[in-house]
Amino acid sequence: MSLPKPAMRGLLAKRLRFHLPIAFGLSLIAAAAFKFGVTEPRKKAYADFYKHYDSMKEFSAMKEAGIFESVRPTGK
């Protein structure tokens, strides 16, 4: 009674035929989840922020706080 020989010929191709479609499908699911779970909310948050953002008001506030070396506050 001897042990049967392991099936080594074509083993890689056989395993790839099984695992490659699974890996491809999972990667597509992960990419879609990242797109709709992370990037779309981030783009919406940026759009909402810049909808009401006033850059001149921010510049004036930073100028009055003395952040810039080249621009003096109004009172000085």
Side-chain angles (χ1 to χ4, degrees), residues 19-36:
H19 287 101
L20 202 59
I22 293 172
F24 188 72
L26 288 176
S27 66
L28 286 177
I29 291 170
F34 187 79
K35 178 178 174 30
F36 294 112

Side-chain angles (χ1 to χ4, degrees), residues 40-50:
E40 292 297 324
R42 184 179 293 170
K43 286 181 357 185
K44 185 181 180 312
Y46 274 104
D48 291 343
F49 175 77
Y50 283 110

